[in-house]
Amino acid sequence: MAQYELLLPKMGESVAEATVIKWVKQPGDSIDLDDTILEIATDKVDSEVPSPVAGKLVKQLFAADEVAQVGDVIAIIETAGGDNPAIETPVAETPKVEQKVETIPGIDQLPSENKAVATDFSASERFYSPLVKSIAAQENISLAELDAIKGSGADGRLNKDDLLDYIANKNGGSFATKMLTVTLTPPAPPASETTVNKSAPVSESLSSNKTSTTSVNGADEIIEMDRMRKLIADHMVMSKTTSPHVTSFVEADVTNMVLWRNKVKNSFEKRENEKITFTPIFVEAVAKAIKDFPMINVSVNGTQIIKKGNINIGMAAALPSGNLIVPVIRNADQLNLVGLTKAVNDLATRARNSKLKPDETQGGTFTLTNVGSFGNVMGTPIINQPQVAILAVGAIKKKPAVLETEHGDVIAIRHMMFLSLSYDHRVVDGSLGGMFVRRVADYLESWDLNREI
């Protein structure tokens, strides 16, 4: 018999580690090719790790809720090799952590307040993960200081939570540390005198909405947040404390858009085997408006404004668990309406089924959320950091409206919709925010009833 070492696969350029959520296969279980071995979680996305070989699971090297680095051996599988040589263990590609400074023509790069120190980690006998090294360099922590920090991992290994706790106790933590806490690791459960359901795992699969509950005084109950809800809570609080939010509203007459969609939806579904919703139409209008007002497609780095070269639009999607996730349509301005429809449907379906890849929720430059899908006419959404704006589209309602005609003003029943844009007032003023949301409305109002797709 031969043994195969199953490695934690590379999940994207920006993903260096993952948390083991649940083992689907137990030691002794038979495994077929492509069977799911375990479920893992990154900062937002839960994924399944399939088996590249058939055999029997011999050993699990990480327990539930433990963090593994990309390339770590996470399980041993016994294969029916007989006298054949053992299956060669694939060499994991080590993720490269690079710090890139984006330059903007005409704007001098300003000196950074905290310059990372160059530390020779080879001088220490202790193992440090790439993420721990990156945080230590960002926070100017010397190797001697790092070696003195007590680790809570296996064999005293220092993990990122240990380091972030040390930094927080030392100086309250920097903004960079807070960002890393939100985007790279699930927050630890809050300490409490009364522990709720200790036996229950901290993290759950996105496909399950199980939560720990304890009855209080017979009527009230304590419900422990799941992993994703903790991440969402921290991310929302961080966004509100980072960006001064301002919201502008526009009401749009989308009658032509609604009539056109009703006219083509059946033939479109027969031809493309896809349902066409209003979402790809909204995405197209947003992409066009961003090209007209590119300074809405930026992020902020201290006193630097980083103008994004690509238009990557995130679309907020509701999950069966009640949580939200934001998959990203990359280069949305380069897709036609058919391509946008297929991208929207594909991402929405895989989001609901927990099949998104980690990279598919990262790299967004602007976010669209459809509050109208819940029957709401408008909303004031929170910016998805590090972006500077998010557009909410409300429910489409029939209303009496005044129309200007060559024979005078008339009142007619029209399909009306509110659009609301929340933006970061540090870099987006009311004029830019107002003109942008108005331009999106203009594209929707001027929809061609005879458009061919």
Side-chain angles (χ1 to χ4, degrees), residues 35-57:
D35 273 359
T36 297
I37 303 295
L38 72 161
E39 295 176 1
I40 57 175
T42 58
D43 57 335
K44 276 191 176 181
V45 178
D46 285 11
S47 304
E48 298 174 345
V49 177
S51 175
V53 296
K56 181 176 69 173
L57 182 62

Side-chain angles (χ1 to χ4, degrees), residues 254-403:
V254 293
T255 303
N256 284 356
M257 180 190 76
V258 173
L259 296 179
W260 176 85
R261 186 248 179 185
N262 290 340
K263 181 177 70 171
V264 305
K265 63 181 181 181
N266 292 333
S267 59
F268 183 89
E269 185 175 359
K270 288 180 181 178
R271 191 187 77 189
E272 302 293 339
N273 197 28
E274 296 277 357
K275 292 182 181 295
I276 183 169
T277 63
F278 291 118
T279 300
I281 299 176
F282 298 147
V283 172
E284 181 187 73
V286 168
K288 288 181 178 179
I290 289 176
K291 298 191 80 169
D292 295 339
F293 298 99
M295 290 307 293
I296 207 81
N297 198 51
V298 303
S299 64
V300 180
N301 179 29
T303 57
Q304 298 173 333
I305 300 174
I306 302 173
K307 185 178 176 182
K308 300 297 185 178
N310 297 325
I311 297 177
N312 301 333
I313 299 179
M315 58 171 204
L319 300 174
S321 63
N323 292 322
L324 289 173
I325 197 166
V326 187
V328 176
I329 303 172
R330 301 185 183 277
N331 300 310
D333 57 315
Q334 299 178 21
L335 298 175
N336 60 19
L337 197 55
V338 175
L340 288 173
T341 299
K342 292 184 177 181
V344 166
N345 292 349
D346 172 59
L347 290 172
T349 299
R350 288 194 290 115
R352 287 191 293 268
N353 296 324
S354 303
K355 298 295 184 181
L356 288 175
K357 299 176 183 177
D359 270 1
E360 290 177 323
T361 62
Q362 300 176 7
T365 61
F366 186 95
T367 296
L368 169 73
T369 180
N370 187 352
V371 299
S373 61
F374 309 109
N376 304 144
V377 295
M378 65 176 69
T380 55
I382 296 177
I383 298 167
N384 186 16
Q385 298 292 332
Q387 301 164 26
V388 299
I390 178 172
L391 178 71
V393 291
I396 300 173
K397 299 287 187 179
K398 288 184 180 181
K399 293 181 180 180
V402 177
L403 298 181

Side-chain angles (χ1 to χ4, degrees), residues 206-257:
L206 292 184
S207 59
S208 172
N209 194 29
K210 296 178 182 177
T211 54
S212 302
T213 62
T214 299
S215 177
V216 179
N217 295 331
D220 300 337
E221 63 180 14
I222 298 172
I223 301 175
E224 180 68 20
M225 290 184 183
D226 61 18
R227 180 186 59 84
M228 180 175 280
R229 178 49 55 185
K230 293 174 185 176
L231 288 169
I232 292 172
D234 281 359
H235 193 61
M236 294 298 97
V237 171
M238 182 273 292
S239 182
K240 292 292 284 188
T241 57
T242 299
S243 301
H245 282 56
V246 176
T247 306
S248 294
F249 299 86
V250 164
E251 188 174 23
D253 183 343
V254 293
T255 303
N256 284 356
M257 180 190 76

Side-chain angles (χ1 to χ4, degrees), residues 57 165 284 289 375 432 446:
L57 182 62
D165 287 343
E284 181 187 73
L432 174 58
S446 61

Side-chain angles (χ1 to χ4, degrees), residues 19 49 53 61 89 100 106 110 117 123 154 188 191 215 226 238 256 261 282 322 335 357 383 406 415 436 440 443 449:
T19 302
V49 177
V53 296
L61 299 181
T89 301
K100 297 182 180 178
L110 301 177
V117 296
S215 177
D226 61 18
M238 182 273 292
N256 284 356
R261 186 248 179 185
F282 298 147
L335 298 175
K357 299 176 183 177
I383 298 167
E406 57 182 5
H415 294 269
F436 176 81
V440 175
Y443 281 123
L449 269 171

